[in-house]
Amino acid sequence: MTRIDDVARLAGVSTATVSRALRGLPTVSEATRRRVRLAAEQLGYTASPSASRLAGGKTGTVAVLVPRIGAWFPGVVVDAAEELLRPAGYDLLLHHVGGPDHARQRLPRTADLPKRVDAVLLVGTPALVSAAPVFAAPEYGGRARALPGVTVAAGAPVPGWSSVGIDDVAAARIATEHLLTLGHRRIVCLSGDPADQFTHPGDLDRRWGYREAMQAAGTPPEAIVEVVARGGVDGGRQATASLLARPGPTPTAIMATCDEMAMGALVALRRAGLRVPADVSVIGVDGHEFARIVGLTTVAQPAAELGRLAVGTLLDRLAGRSRGDGVPERHILPTRLVLRDSTAPPREN
Amino acid sequence: MTRIDDVARLAGVSTATVSRALRGLPTVSEATRRRVRLAAEQLGYTASPSASRLAGGKTGTVAVLVPRIGAWFPGVVVDAAEELLRPAGYDLLLHHVGGPDHARQRLPRTADLPKRVDAVLLVGTPALVSAAPVFAAPEYGGRARALPGVTVAAGAPVPGWSSVGIDDVAAARIATEHLLTLGHRRIVCLSGDPADQFTHPGDLDRRWGYREAMQAAGTPPEAIVEVVARGGVDGGRQATASLLARPGPTPTAIMATCDEMAMGALVALRRAGLRVPADVSVIGVDGHEFARIVGLTTVAQPAAELGRLAVGTLLDRLAGRSRGDGVPERHILPTRLVLRDSTAPPREN
DNA sequence: TTGTAGGCGTTATCAT
DNA sequence: ATGATAACGCCTACAA
């Protein structure tokens, strides 16, 4: 492979000049720069990342930490991240962080992240698996502040890092209020098990939002019903099925803390022979890609935008053009209610 | 940050020995190794990747190229890849390759991949965007063979690379035969536009499978109907809608070349007031995560397994323990018909 | 504006 | 089994 010397020789300049010219440093005459560029192009030269990184002390890499990439939200954010990171000249190092066990296993590897990346993007990670213990733990030098980072929809804040997300309490409140406005009174909240490693990070807050809305509507405490399910669509389905099997009146509406749960509820209701929204209304929170397909009403969060904002914040910081001078920023983006076919006024009033 | 010298000093050995001991090379006495390990642990030492890479001539990184990560299939494969690459000591460099324009734009960057990675995993990329032109193009030195790689469900083979996938023709044939067996005769094939950059790579082959099955069943040519749609769920929905608007008898079944299309068809049929499977049967190919939720019958490909097999092949190759001695392998994994609620015998015969 | 030369932290080679 | 010592390929003072 051609090295910097080859280019220097062909262009008739020193290696230092080649380095400067190719990186667009100002102290190079345009004529020289052209010559160097030409020579580099002819030889198909690209600087060796390993060498530049060693000499320059920067990795030119951003670690993106996700619980798993297959899920909808992380996928969207990572998509956005790639799209921004690449043109900015950064490599994207993908890293899974799983549940608690997982995290413990991977702690050593994650701990040497500072040597391989310039910054970290932590996406959609439940509080349980938060990177805080990883980056702030004293046994690892508590380097949180040394390595810049941004969290997106993460359960627990990482000290010293900026964060981007939505107001989960408000989102759930809006969802619940929508049902209340339609006339529903027997509304059940379906949420994920906080102990589950893959439960949506905002789940707990969203339960709060449900409660707030219900209480504000003057709902008696015994009518505020929260059902906790195992994670994912299947968890939502099962929980809903057993909810329907309970004695007493069936709820007229279900507010799920995330769309996957809501979709599980849809399946369970359909199997139980109940019509949505004729018999039961269902609303979710997330704006999941497939909510549209199944006609699920939801409070959507701007996932891609969250990702772009997060990466933008990170890049600003890395480029030294951050506003607050290193002070963590806290971005809250608005959600919006997306009306579809899964909600309607209750049949009997 | 602590360097190798610090460890060497503390352990009372040379840096060379530290390097050897920590990497598990055989020429180190157990006693020494223990001492070195201890010292390294005490100091929290990890070798600098940049330096190792420069000195060792290996990047310890695998590039994973996907059209976009948000889609289902790539997501699953990347998940599997991360899970295998990490413990093997490889970093995962995520890289988008978009459509034709995209590819052209990114060609220069992609071309310097050989300097940043030891191998490439190309996932679910339509023929149009195949990496072949990137890695085999003469203007880039035609380094295809220099950089080991594996494709997973990629449209066009990359010369010199191994490939992992399913038999797309057979998969579609199985799907079509299922409908034929149920008694359907007016079966329409719904597929993606080959010109679309995000169309499923196996689409063309799957159309072949449909034709083969139809012909084998003695279907008259005019009853072999193929509808081409724009990509994604929406494309499937629109194409199905306009199909239903056509004069003449409605088909009794739809064979979609991928599950997303099939789900689009489900939406269109529902909106048109047609019942599935009572009025129209729908079958897809893919085994998409959400097919289960919407009750879609499909011919499933083992996505995660494909990913694991691909990475395994790559790791074997990198470790020098490949079977055929550098000869590209071709793995075809079996699919399976998953019966759900979207297919049934036609109403009238 | 450009060139010179030392250093970045490891690994590999060659002795011992 | 271990140690000394070149590379590895680039960047960054510093000098010119």
Side-chain angles (χ1 to χ4, degrees), chain A residues 46 53 69-70 75 79 82-83 86 91-96 106 112 115-116 234 270 292-293, chain B residues 46 54 69-70 75 79 82-83 86 91-96 106 112 115-116 234 270 292-293:
Chain A
T46 322
R53 287 164 188 185
I69 193 67
D79 257 346
E82 210 279 347
E83 228 85 299
R86 186 75 42 194
D91 279 348
L92 160 18
L93 176 64
L94 187 67
H95 209 299
H96 277 193
R106 301 192 167 201
D112 70 21
K115 284 192 171 176
R116 13 178 47 97
D234 255 356
R270 190 177 57 195
R292 209 167 43 79
I293 293 159
Chain B
T46 323
L54 179 56
I69 193 67
D79 257 348
E82 210 278 349
E83 228 86 298
R86 185 76 42 196
D91 279 349
L92 161 17
L93 176 64
L94 187 67
H95 208 298
H96 277 193
R106 301 191 168 200
D112 70 22
K115 283 191 170 175
R116 11 177 50 97
D234 255 357
R270 191 178 58 197
R292 210 167 42 80
I293 294 159

Side-chain angles (χ1 to χ4, degrees), chain B residues 142-158:
Chain B
R143 296 194 189 286
R145 233 148 288 100
L147 194 59
V150 176
T151 65
V152 185
V158 175

Side-chain angles (χ1 to χ4, degrees), chain A residues 228-260:
Chain A
V228 171
R230 289 193 306 101
V233 176
D234 255 356
R237 185 180 56 66
Q238 289 175 15
T240 303
S242 58
L243 169 68
L244 294 175
R246 287 188 194 176
T250 302
T252 66
I254 295 175
M255 200 298 286
T257 52
C258 71
D259 284 350
E260 290 207 354

